Amino acid sequence: MKVNVKNHEDNGASNFIGISIINGDRKISFLNYGARVCEWIVPDKDGKHEDILLGHEDPTDYLVHPYYFGAAIGRTAGRIRNGEAVIGSTPLKLTQNDGPHHLHGGSHGFDTLYFDHEIEEQEDRVSIIFNSTLDDMTDGYPGNLDIEIRYTYTEDDRLTIDYRITTDQETLVNPTNHMYFNLNGDLKDDILNHTVNFGNAEYGKVDEMVLPLGENGIIKSNEKTIAFRELVESPDPQFSQFNGLDHPFMMTEESVVLSTPNGRSIILESEDPVVVVFTSNDFNFSDATGRRFYPYCGLTLEAQMPPDDINMNPSSKTILPAGGTFAKRTVYQFNIQ
Ligand code: GAL
């Protein structure tokens, strides 16, 4: 395996550092800004190599477009109602960056940090270790935070994400990753031909601003897999209100398989209870290189604790005590079937 590091100083974007891991004819690329996964080039069943992630060639695009492409998300993924939460007896007033609500850790979340990086190379794997910090009371959260996000890519096209977060005061932590997959490759077709193995999927109903209602819905399916086209085009008001999906799905098995007819699949392995699926329902923009992003051009699989858990569950595991360490692992395994 080979590693290339590109300092983007040449185009005036001096803070941006891109790191690519080359695994034979496959490639995965990361960016220090937001500890992002920007590109994942893999073959289909006919040996055609294409990018299965949404990303931008010009890193300054990540400053402009608010969709969190490939980014590390934190301190907390999803929305917190009205930016209000109480931990212990301490009321928090978090940045309201999504109407009245708090989204994806606020305006100075993990996605906005320029992470330091280290590279560890071994025979069959490469790890990129991104480190950064957040100061006490950034976006209203107590605690100085040390953040380590370790991406490990192995020869068998397995991307492992290890999070390790420490705090010096009681705070909230619920990180995830915001890669958008399109297994058709190179954005040439939308994700409506993808399937996922949620089976009789239980999902959390949400209100019109995507806040959990505390009630669950079930998608009855005779198949083990559910077709995205059916869900996105479903007359169920839960889905039609957004013209698609923006919902937490319960992890009922240890893994979730996302597939396409071209043979590519991604297996998500996680111990988290929930996977938030967002199907880029409202996308309609072009980036600096003219790449066009359109409705359903990608979907996220965000493994996490439920959004707004702190307001739904008094003993929420999103509370990290002073001096505590948060650690979790999420794996995305690429396969050709
Ligand atoms: C998702 C969120 C969506 C939208 C998106 C970014 O994780 O659930 O509502 O905000 O991020 O555009």
Side-chain angles (χ1 to χ4, degrees), residues 93-131:
K93 192 77 200 116
L94 306 174
T95 306
Q96 292 159 299
N97 60 325
D98 187 64
H101 307 301
H102 176 80
L103 175 63
H104 288 336
S107 337
H108 304 91
F110 295 1
D111 60 295
T112 67
L113 302 176
Y114 290 86
F115 284 75
D116 293 333
H117 76 274
E118 276 173 49
I119 301 171
E120 277 178 18
E121 291 181 68
Q122 289 172 43
E123 185 76 21
D124 64 341
R125 68 192 54 217
V126 175
S127 297
I128 318 287
I129 304 111
F130 285 115
N131 275 285

Side-chain angles (χ1 to χ4, degrees), residues 233-250:
E233 294 175 355
S234 158
D236 183 334
Q238 268 298 312
F239 301 117
S240 60
Q241 66 177 335
F242 309 124
N243 298 313
L245 274 65
D246 197 350
H247 295 81
F249 284 76
M250 311 312 154

Side-chain angles (χ1 to χ4, degrees), residues 144-207:
N144 293 295
L145 217 64
D146 278 323
I147 310 151
E148 179 181 287
I149 298 167
R150 171 186 284 259
Y151 292 104
T152 301
Y153 198 72
T154 38
E155 264 178 356
D156 56 354
D157 299 305
R158 190 176 173 84
L159 174 67
T160 300
I161 312 178
D162 287 303
Y163 301 83
R164 198 179 162 80
I165 297 170
T166 59
T167 178
D168 57 1
Q169 285 177 57
E170 192 173 45
T171 191
L172 291 179
V173 169
N174 183 15
T176 191
N177 175 278
H178 215 281
M179 280 182 274
Y180 288 86
F181 292 95
N182 183 332
L183 301 181
N184 296 317
D186 289 350
L187 278 177
K188 63 181 186 308
D189 204 355
D190 64 41
I191 52 81
L192 298 181
N193 67 355
H194 289 39
T195 57
V196 66
N197 73 322
F198 281 121
N200 278 328
E202 199 176 331
Y203 67 94
K205 294 188 177 177
V206 293
D207 69 13

Side-chain angles (χ1 to χ4, degrees), residues 14-86:
S14 58
N15 291 328
F16 292 105
I17 300 170
I19 304 156
S20 296
I21 302 172
I22 323 274
N23 180 32
D25 58 4
R26 291 121 202 253
K27 179 178 170 193
I28 186 162
S29 302
F30 303 86
L31 188 69
N32 63 336
Y33 180 65
R36 279 158 215 270
V37 194
C38 306
E39 175 187 57
W40 194 351
I41 296 175
V42 286
D44 65 9
K45 65 176 166 14
D46 300 320
K48 186 159 188 208
H49 290 77
E50 288 162 321
D51 190 358
I52 57 165
L53 294 184
L54 304 198
H56 303 296
E57 259 171 56
D58 181 341
T60 58
D61 269 311
Y62 292 107
L63 300 173
V64 183
H65 300 295
Y67 298 107
Y68 306 90
F69 278 15
I73 302 291
R75 300 182 189 205
T76 56
R79 290 170 178 82
I80 293 183
R81 192 179 289 278
N82 298 321
E84 287 172 356
V86 179

